[in-house]
Amino acid sequence: MATVDPAFKIIPKGQACFFIWRIENLQVVPVPRESHGTFFKGDAYIVLSCHATATRVKAQARDTKGALDMHAHFWIGSESTQDEQGVAAYKTVELDDYLGGAPVQHRETEGAESSLFLNYFKKKGGLTYKNGGVASGFNHVDMKMEPRLFQAKGKHVVRLTELRTIDWSSMNQGDVFILDLGSVIFCWNGKNSNRAERLQAMQRAKQVRDDRGGNANVIVIEDGEESRLSADEQQLFESKLPLKDKRNIKLESSDDARSERDAAATIKLYRCADEQDGLKVTEVKGGPLVKADLDTKDSYIIDNGPNGIWAWIGKGASNNERKEAMRNAMGFLKKKNYPDQTAVTRVIDGGESTEFKALFSKWPEPAATKGLGRTYTVGNVAKVVQTRFDAATMHHNRGLAAETQMVDDGTGKIEMWRVESFEMKPVPKQSYGQFYGGDCYLILYTYQVQNRDNYIVYYWLGHKSTADEQGAAARFAVELDDKHGGTPVQVRVVQGKEPPHFMAMFGGRMVVFEGGHASGFRNSGEKDTDGPGDTFLLHVRGTSKMNSKAVQVPCRAVSLNSNDVFVFFVKSATYIWCGKGSTGDEREMAKTVASLRPCDPVTVFEGQEKPDLWQALGGQAPYSNDKRLQEPDVVMPVRLFQLSNATGRIQVEEVNEFTQEDLVPEDVMLLDSWDTIFLWIGENSNKQERDEAEQVAFGYLRTDPSGRDSSIPVVRIKQGNEPPTFTGFFGFWNHDYWTSTLSYDAVKAHTQARNEPQRVVEKPVAGTVPTEVAKYPYEMLAKPASQLPDGVNPENREVHLLDSDFSRIFGTTYAQFVSKPAWKQRDMKKAANLF
């Protein structure tokens, strides 16, 4: 085995662990656990995370079963030297070799870290960037306590950045700022900052206070309410930030979210070859990409523009290609003139990360694949849902509800309308389940859980319906939602993309006919084509009453397929044509469809057709008879995104390793389970975010580099009315979470409740001792406050000490004492019983 840096030998083999190293004097030095999350701008770091599936960071190493999910990151500070950056990069390769090439390698830059990297420090309150660095190519920073100003940004994981100067011109009204004066920590909230940033900033301030043994006050200031501070608090605040200079403050911050989805829509695959005259990069294709595009004998670069560069190393790639992958990817980034903060990630064949797989439209693999976290197996509903079950069962088993997208077995109450002349016209009950591709429909589904009505509003859009009809259907869905108190879940369904529960409502009798009513502006002069006529052909797909539907196809022999079942209606008879590749379950469902007419159907097996059947189909003709190959399950990650227009335009930011706590009431959240898009509407989100949520979802699908179909179901859910098909993706779910969570004002009051009265004491000029106050021996000043001599302030007893007692008690001169930070002075006074 090649030599490895001694710093890496602390890594326990086969155990979950988390380590950080800093490059100090061009050497790799471990960072103490208590300092994790604090990064100096002038330094470079290496971060290693080894964890079991869906467990990112643990407090200590622990044994795990099976393969570990490993990630190695090298972090580049904005002021680090080229030498430090180079050492971090090649030492990460050395670390990779030591771990057998298993880790995914990431290049991280200050302020532009990946969501995975940020998530490591979520429980520590986020990241803190401090000025300075170690002495290797940079001046060492004196770590003594001195006033500091920090900017807090980020809704889920806060980045706390130390600013160079303490003045209003460094601040803006879109963020939260922390002014740390030692004994007092001010949290100043810009008027346009968000609630999440304010809460996170208060949490960070409380952590700092706790680190100082509770010897600090935390004071929260709202922008424009500085005058409400006490006289002493205001004097202390203005000693660093005079209010007369507040006119220099900026109005807004830079964009919080870095996701530029439009650029992500373009993705390209390049093959890399290690040749004598250097690396040769050849473009292979543009998106969408599939797993089969990657040849295990080669290495590739996937170019997703400013959203990231990926280097994929096949098992048959040369050792040099593997070692040089990150450097080659960096060279590609520079050649493309992408921003320096563009993410660069290296993955190996068989060890691809969730984020990498999400770039591909097809990535088939066994459903038991490790390392994906929460996943959804596309197309497995028919295997799971075959029997009846009630809503209580699915609400209890939320994981199954999420996987199958079923709130119950579809036997609840149904009300159905069709959009005609821009009005909702009730559909007769005997026609429930019958749709026309030229129309739009609304369905109100009611089911009970614990004797409480729950609602789903489906609006179904036929392929040949007009945009006007589709808009009317969406508007009627909102009206039905309002009519039932805003509690229903709204689901947009496009013909051909019906979710499982939608089909289950009709018990195997869902049929989509051609034609429809002429009600849209663009077909207002057309004749209605309502009804299929006497002769029509239906293509039946499905294996149970919970996943079956029939679709009208042209009444010609060419429409047949040997893998499926068809029901052929003529005026005098009904035929069930069974292809050789069809199953018994499919044939049974065809009988259900055939019951649309009262006559008994005639079953015809492929190859046994009589001439009158072919004659009714317009004559015998070739049709598809190739055996349909069973497609492997496609296991895709479930991803959560936050939508916000805090900066004036809707932006999307991914939330890694999400929980219920990541659903922000002030925003709209987008949950992508691959086959379905969920829009979660926070109760405090603004009108623009709510109104534009669906358009953002469509834009998200349109710009998805995987090239997915944009007509998949879009589900709209309001906070507090989440169905199990949604909550099942979040692990533990507390239905009382938002009612039991403290409000912002309550958290603010609780944070400041521990504050002590703040008094500003004028200190003498350095090097002098206050002589104008009465002096007393130590024994008289160490008494309880009620027994102190007249004129002695209990909080400032030290100024009344005799000179001889002062040096004896504190071991220093008065001038040296007052030069120390306020918190240090307070600790010394407490130890001397003078506080």
Side-chain angles (χ1 to χ4, degrees), residues 184-226:
V184 179
I185 304 169
F186 291 99
C187 291
W188 183 89
N189 299 324
K191 66 179 182 180
N192 296 322
S193 60
N194 64 71
R195 175 179 177 272
E197 287 175 332
R198 297 179 183 191
L199 290 172
Q200 292 272 20
M202 277 194 284
Q203 182 62 32
R204 294 298 293 273
K206 288 193 292 183
Q207 288 177 347
V208 173
R209 177 177 66 189
D210 293 343
D211 290 343
R212 296 173 185 168
N215 297 325
N217 284 355
V218 176
I219 300 173
V220 182
I221 309 172
E222 305 299 335
D223 187 358
E225 298 182 5
E226 293 85 359

Short mmCIF file of all heavy atoms in Angstrom, two decimals, residues 184-226:
data_model
loop_
_atom_site.label_atom_id
_atom_site.label_comp_id
_atom_site.label_asym_id
_atom_site.label_seq_id
_atom_site.Cartn_x
_atom_site.Cartn_y
_atom_site.Cartn_z
N VAL A 184 -22.29 41.39 25.35
CA VAL A 184 -23.59 41.62 24.73
C VAL A 184 -23.52 41.18 23.27
O VAL A 184 -22.58 41.50 22.55
CB VAL A 184 -24.01 43.10 24.80
CG1 VAL A 184 -25.36 43.30 24.13
CG2 VAL A 184 -24.08 43.57 26.24
N ILE A 185 -24.54 40.43 22.84
CA ILE A 185 -24.64 39.98 21.46
C ILE A 185 -25.93 40.54 20.88
O ILE A 185 -27.02 40.20 21.34
CB ILE A 185 -24.64 38.44 21.37
CG1 ILE A 185 -23.39 37.86 22.05
CG2 ILE A 185 -24.71 37.99 19.91
CD1 ILE A 185 -23.46 36.36 22.24
N PHE A 186 -25.81 41.42 19.91
CA PHE A 186 -26.99 42.01 19.27
C PHE A 186 -27.33 41.23 18.01
O PHE A 186 -26.46 40.98 17.17
CB PHE A 186 -26.72 43.47 18.88
CG PHE A 186 -26.59 44.42 20.04
CD1 PHE A 186 -25.34 44.79 20.51
CD2 PHE A 186 -27.71 44.93 20.67
CE1 PHE A 186 -25.21 45.67 21.56
CE2 PHE A 186 -27.60 45.82 21.73
CZ PHE A 186 -26.34 46.19 22.18
N CYS A 187 -28.61 40.84 17.87
CA CYS A 187 -29.13 40.27 16.62
C CYS A 187 -29.99 41.34 15.96
O CYS A 187 -31.08 41.66 16.46
CB CYS A 187 -29.97 39.02 16.89
SG CYS A 187 -29.04 37.61 17.47
N TRP A 188 -29.51 41.89 14.85
CA TRP A 188 -30.24 42.95 14.15
C TRP A 188 -30.90 42.34 12.92
O TRP A 188 -30.24 41.79 12.05
CB TRP A 188 -29.29 44.07 13.75
CG TRP A 188 -29.96 45.24 13.09
CD1 TRP A 188 -30.49 46.33 13.69
CD2 TRP A 188 -30.16 45.42 11.68
NE1 TRP A 188 -31.01 47.19 12.76
CE2 TRP A 188 -30.84 46.66 11.51
CE3 TRP A 188 -29.86 44.66 10.55
CZ2 TRP A 188 -31.19 47.14 10.25
CZ3 TRP A 188 -30.22 45.14 9.30
CH2 TRP A 188 -30.88 46.38 9.17
N ASN A 189 -32.24 42.42 12.86
CA ASN A 189 -33.01 41.79 11.79
C ASN A 189 -33.41 42.81 10.73
O ASN A 189 -34.21 43.71 11.01
CB ASN A 189 -34.28 41.15 12.36
CG ASN A 189 -33.98 40.06 13.37
OD1 ASN A 189 -33.00 39.32 13.23
ND2 ASN A 189 -34.80 39.96 14.41
N GLY A 190 -32.85 42.68 9.53
CA GLY A 190 -33.27 43.54 8.44
C GLY A 190 -34.76 43.38 8.18
O GLY A 190 -35.31 42.28 8.33
N LYS A 191 -35.42 44.45 7.80
CA LYS A 191 -36.88 44.40 7.66
C LYS A 191 -37.33 43.43 6.58
O LYS A 191 -38.48 42.96 6.60
CB LYS A 191 -37.43 45.80 7.39
CG LYS A 191 -37.03 46.41 6.05
CD LYS A 191 -37.66 47.79 5.90
CE LYS A 191 -37.32 48.42 4.55
NZ LYS A 191 -37.94 49.77 4.41
N ASN A 192 -36.46 43.11 5.63
CA ASN A 192 -36.83 42.17 4.56
C ASN A 192 -36.22 40.79 4.76
O ASN A 192 -36.28 39.94 3.87
CB ASN A 192 -36.39 42.72 3.20
CG ASN A 192 -37.11 44.01 2.84
OD1 ASN A 192 -38.30 44.17 3.12
ND2 ASN A 192 -36.39 44.95 2.25
N SER A 193 -35.65 40.54 5.94
CA SER A 193 -35.10 39.21 6.21
C SER A 193 -36.24 38.25 6.47
O SER A 193 -37.36 38.66 6.81
CB SER A 193 -34.16 39.25 7.41
OG SER A 193 -34.85 39.70 8.58
N ASN A 194 -35.99 36.97 6.32
CA ASN A 194 -37.05 35.98 6.52
C ASN A 194 -37.01 35.41 7.94
O ASN A 194 -36.00 35.47 8.65
CB ASN A 194 -36.96 34.86 5.48
CG ASN A 194 -35.69 34.05 5.60
OD1 ASN A 194 -35.51 33.28 6.53
ND2 ASN A 194 -34.78 34.23 4.63
N ARG A 195 -38.15 34.84 8.32
CA ARG A 195 -38.31 34.33 9.67
C ARG A 195 -37.29 33.25 9.99
O ARG A 195 -36.75 33.21 11.11
CB ARG A 195 -39.73 33.76 9.83
CG ARG A 195 -40.02 33.09 11.17
CD ARG A 195 -41.46 32.61 11.21
NE ARG A 195 -41.76 31.90 12.44
CZ ARG A 195 -41.57 30.59 12.61
NH1 ARG A 195 -41.07 29.86 11.62
NH2 ARG A 195 -41.89 30.00 13.76
N ALA A 196 -37.01 32.38 9.03
CA ALA A 196 -36.07 31.29 9.27
C ALA A 196 -34.69 31.84 9.61
O ALA A 196 -34.02 31.34 10.53
CB ALA A 196 -36.00 30.39 8.05
N GLU A 197 -34.23 32.86 8.88
CA GLU A 197 -32.92 33.45 9.17
C GLU A 197 -32.92 34.10 10.56
O GLU A 197 -31.92 34.01 11.29
CB GLU A 197 -32.57 34.49 8.11
CG GLU A 197 -32.20 33.87 6.76
CD GLU A 197 -31.98 34.92 5.68
OE1 GLU A 197 -32.58 35.99 5.75
OE2 GLU A 197 -31.21 34.64 4.74
N ARG A 198 -34.01 34.73 10.92
CA ARG A 198 -34.08 35.36 12.24
C ARG A 198 -33.99 34.33 13.37
O ARG A 198 -33.27 34.53 14.35
CB ARG A 198 -35.37 36.18 12.35
CG ARG A 198 -35.46 37.32 11.36
CD ARG A 198 -36.77 38.09 11.49
NE ARG A 198 -36.87 39.15 10.48
CZ ARG A 198 -37.78 40.09 10.48
NH1 ARG A 198 -38.70 40.11 11.43
NH2 ARG A 198 -37.80 41.01 9.53
N LEU A 199 -34.73 33.24 13.20
CA LEU A 199 -34.71 32.20 14.22
C LEU A 199 -33.33 31.55 14.29
O LEU A 199 -32.81 31.28 15.39
CB LEU A 199 -35.77 31.15 13.90
CG LEU A 199 -37.23 31.59 14.08
CD1 LEU A 199 -38.18 30.51 13.55
CD2 LEU A 199 -37.54 31.88 15.55
N GLN A 200 -32.73 31.30 13.13
CA GLN A 200 -31.41 30.67 13.11
C GLN A 200 -30.36 31.58 13.74
O GLN A 200 -29.48 31.12 14.47
CB GLN A 200 -31.01 30.35 11.66
CG GLN A 200 -31.85 29.25 11.01
CD GLN A 200 -31.31 27.86 11.27
OE1 GLN A 200 -30.56 27.64 12.20
NE2 GLN A 200 -31.71 26.93 10.44
N ALA A 201 -30.47 32.89 13.47
CA ALA A 201 -29.51 33.82 14.05
C ALA A 201 -29.63 33.86 15.57
O ALA A 201 -28.62 33.91 16.29
CB ALA A 201 -29.72 35.22 13.46
N MET A 202 -30.86 33.86 16.07
CA MET A 202 -31.05 33.83 17.52
C MET A 202 -30.46 32.56 18.11
O MET A 202 -29.85 32.58 19.19
CB MET A 202 -32.54 33.93 17.86
CG MET A 202 -33.08 35.34 17.86
SD MET A 202 -34.71 35.47 18.66
CE MET A 202 -35.76 34.78 17.37
N GLN A 203 -30.65 31.44 17.41
CA GLN A 203 -30.10 30.17 17.90
C GLN A 203 -28.58 30.22 17.96
O GLN A 203 -27.98 29.75 18.93
CB GLN A 203 -30.57 29.03 16.99
CG GLN A 203 -30.09 27.65 17.43
CD GLN A 203 -30.61 27.25 18.80
OE1 GLN A 203 -31.71 27.63 19.19
NE2 GLN A 203 -29.81 26.51 19.54
N ARG A 204 -27.97 30.81 16.94
CA ARG A 204 -26.51 30.93 16.94
C ARG A 204 -26.04 31.83 18.07
O ARG A 204 -25.04 31.54 18.73
CB ARG A 204 -26.02 31.47 15.59
CG ARG A 204 -26.25 30.54 14.43
CD ARG A 204 -25.50 29.22 14.58
NE ARG A 204 -24.06 29.38 14.52
CZ ARG A 204 -23.36 29.38 13.41
NH1 ARG A 204 -23.96 29.20 12.25
NH2 ARG A 204 -22.05 29.51 13.43
N ALA A 205 -26.75 32.92 18.30
CA ALA A 205 -26.38 33.84 19.39
C ALA A 205 -26.49 33.13 20.74
O ALA A 205 -25.63 33.30 21.62
CB ALA A 205 -27.27 35.07 19.35
N LYS A 206 -27.53 32.32 20.91
CA LYS A 206 -27.68 31.57 22.16
C LYS A 206 -26.55 30.56 22.33
O LYS A 206 -26.06 30.34 23.45
CB LYS A 206 -29.03 30.85 22.19
CG LYS A 206 -30.22 31.80 22.39
CD LYS A 206 -31.50 31.04 22.73
CE LYS A 206 -31.99 30.22 21.57
NZ LYS A 206 -33.29 29.55 21.88
N GLN A 207 -26.11 29.94 21.24
CA GLN A 207 -25.00 29.01 21.32
C GLN A 207 -23.72 29.70 21.79
O GLN A 207 -22.98 29.17 22.62
CB GLN A 207 -24.77 28.34 19.96
CG GLN A 207 -25.84 27.33 19.57
CD GLN A 207 -25.59 26.75 18.19
OE1 GLN A 207 -24.78 27.25 17.42
NE2 GLN A 207 -26.31 25.69 17.87
N VAL A 208 -23.48 30.90 21.24
CA VAL A 208 -22.30 31.66 21.65
C VAL A 208 -22.40 32.00 23.13
O VAL A 208 -21.43 31.90 23.88
CB VAL A 208 -22.17 32.95 20.80
CG1 VAL A 208 -21.05 33.83 21.34
CG2 VAL A 208 -21.91 32.59 19.34
N ARG A 209 -23.59 32.41 23.56
CA ARG A 209 -23.79 32.73 24.98
C ARG A 209 -23.51 31.51 25.86
O ARG A 209 -22.84 31.61 26.89
CB ARG A 209 -25.21 33.23 25.22
CG ARG A 209 -25.54 33.52 26.68
CD ARG A 209 -26.94 34.08 26.84
NE ARG A 209 -27.94 33.08 26.49
CZ ARG A 209 -29.25 33.35 26.37
NH1 ARG A 209 -29.67 34.59 26.57
NH2 ARG A 209 -30.10 32.41 26.06
N ASP A 210 -24.02 30.35 25.43
CA ASP A 210 -23.80 29.13 26.21
C ASP A 210 -22.33 28.76 26.24
O ASP A 210 -21.83 28.27 27.27
CB ASP A 210 -24.63 27.98 25.62
CG ASP A 210 -26.13 28.20 25.78
OD1 ASP A 210 -26.51 29.06 26.61
OD2 ASP A 210 -26.90 27.54 25.06
N ASP A 211 -21.62 28.98 25.12
CA ASP A 211 -20.18 28.69 25.09
C ASP A 211 -19.40 29.56 26.06
O ASP A 211 -18.30 29.20 26.47
CB ASP A 211 -19.63 28.89 23.66
CG ASP A 211 -20.14 27.83 22.69
OD1 ASP A 211 -20.63 26.79 23.16
OD2 ASP A 211 -20.06 28.06 21.46
N ARG A 212 -19.98 30.69 26.41
CA ARG A 212 -19.33 31.61 27.37
C ARG A 212 -19.88 31.44 28.77
O ARG A 212 -19.79 32.35 29.60
CB ARG A 212 -19.50 33.05 26.90
CG ARG A 212 -18.80 33.33 25.58
CD ARG A 212 -19.10 34.70 25.02
NE ARG A 212 -18.48 34.84 23.71
CZ ARG A 212 -18.73 35.81 22.86
NH1 ARG A 212 -19.61 36.76 23.17
NH2 ARG A 212 -18.13 35.87 21.69
N GLY A 213 -20.44 30.28 29.01
CA GLY A 213 -20.96 30.01 30.34
C GLY A 213 -22.19 30.82 30.71
O GLY A 213 -22.47 31.01 31.89
N GLY A 214 -22.91 31.32 29.71
CA GLY A 214 -24.10 32.12 29.97
C GLY A 214 -23.79 33.57 30.31
O GLY A 214 -24.70 34.34 30.62
N ASN A 215 -22.51 33.96 30.20
CA ASN A 215 -22.10 35.31 30.59
C ASN A 215 -22.18 36.29 29.43
O ASN A 215 -21.19 36.90 29.03
CB ASN A 215 -20.67 35.28 31.15
CG ASN A 215 -20.58 34.44 32.41
OD1 ASN A 215 -21.50 34.41 33.21
ND2 ASN A 215 -19.46 33.75 32.57
N ALA A 216 -23.35 36.39 28.86
CA ALA A 216 -23.57 37.36 27.79
C ALA A 216 -25.07 37.58 27.63
O ALA A 216 -25.87 36.66 27.84
CB ALA A 216 -22.96 36.87 26.47
N ASN A 217 -25.44 38.79 27.31
CA ASN A 217 -26.83 39.10 26.99
C ASN A 217 -27.05 38.98 25.48
O ASN A 217 -26.18 39.36 24.70
CB ASN A 217 -27.18 40.53 27.43
CG ASN A 217 -27.39 40.65 28.93
OD1 ASN A 217 -27.36 39.65 29.64
ND2 ASN A 217 -27.59 41.86 29.40
N VAL A 218 -28.20 38.46 25.09
CA VAL A 218 -28.60 38.42 23.69
C VAL A 218 -29.76 39.39 23.51
O VAL A 218 -30.81 39.23 24.13
CB VAL A 218 -29.03 37.00 23.25
CG1 VAL A 218 -29.54 37.02 21.81
CG2 VAL A 218 -27.86 36.03 23.39
N ILE A 219 -29.55 40.39 22.69
CA ILE A 219 -30.56 41.44 22.47
C ILE A 219 -30.97 41.42 21.01
O ILE A 219 -30.12 41.55 20.12
CB ILE A 219 -30.02 42.82 22.87
CG1 ILE A 219 -29.63 42.82 24.35
CG2 ILE A 219 -31.05 43.91 22.58
CD1 ILE A 219 -28.91 44.09 24.80
N VAL A 220 -32.26 41.24 20.74
CA VAL A 220 -32.79 41.17 19.39
C VAL A 220 -33.37 42.53 19.01
O VAL A 220 -34.20 43.09 19.75
CB VAL A 220 -33.87 40.08 19.26
CG1 VAL A 220 -34.38 40.00 17.83
CG2 VAL A 220 -33.31 38.73 19.71
N ILE A 221 -32.94 43.06 17.87
CA ILE A 221 -33.38 44.38 17.42
C ILE A 221 -34.05 44.23 16.06
O ILE A 221 -33.47 43.65 15.14
CB ILE A 221 -32.19 45.35 17.28
CG1 ILE A 221 -31.34 45.36 18.55
CG2 ILE A 221 -32.68 46.76 16.94
CD1 ILE A 221 -30.06 46.15 18.41
N GLU A 222 -35.25 44.76 15.94
CA GLU A 222 -35.93 44.79 14.64
C GLU A 222 -35.54 46.08 13.91
O GLU A 222 -35.45 47.15 14.52
CB GLU A 222 -37.45 44.72 14.82
CG GLU A 222 -37.94 43.52 15.63
CD GLU A 222 -37.59 42.19 15.00
OE1 GLU A 222 -37.39 42.14 13.76
OE2 GLU A 222 -37.49 41.19 15.75
N ASP A 223 -35.30 45.95 12.63
CA ASP A 223 -34.95 47.10 11.79
C ASP A 223 -36.00 48.20 11.97
O ASP A 223 -37.20 47.98 11.80
CB ASP A 223 -34.90 46.63 10.34
CG ASP A 223 -34.39 47.70 9.39
OD1 ASP A 223 -34.10 48.83 9.83
OD2 ASP A 223 -34.30 47.39 8.17
N GLY A 224 -35.53 49.40 12.37
CA GLY A 224 -36.43 50.52 12.57
C GLY A 224 -36.90 50.69 14.00
O GLY A 224 -37.57 51.67 14.33
N GLU A 225 -36.55 49.73 14.88
CA GLU A 225 -36.99 49.79 16.27
C GLU A 225 -35.80 49.95 17.22
O GLU A 225 -35.88 49.62 18.40
CB GLU A 225 -37.78 48.53 16.63
CG GLU A 225 -39.06 48.37 15.80
CD GLU A 225 -39.86 47.14 16.20
OE1 GLU A 225 -39.45 46.47 17.18
OE2 GLU A 225 -40.87 46.85 15.55
N GLU A 226 -34.70 50.49 16.70
CA GLU A 226 -33.51 50.66 17.53
C GLU A 226 -33.78 51.59 18.72
O GLU A 226 -33.17 51.45 19.78
CB GLU A 226 -32.35 51.21 16.69
CG GLU A 226 -31.83 50.28 15.62
CD GLU A 226 -32.60 50.35 14.32
OE1 GLU A 226 -33.59 51.12 14.26
OE2 GLU A 226 -32.24 49.64 13.37
#
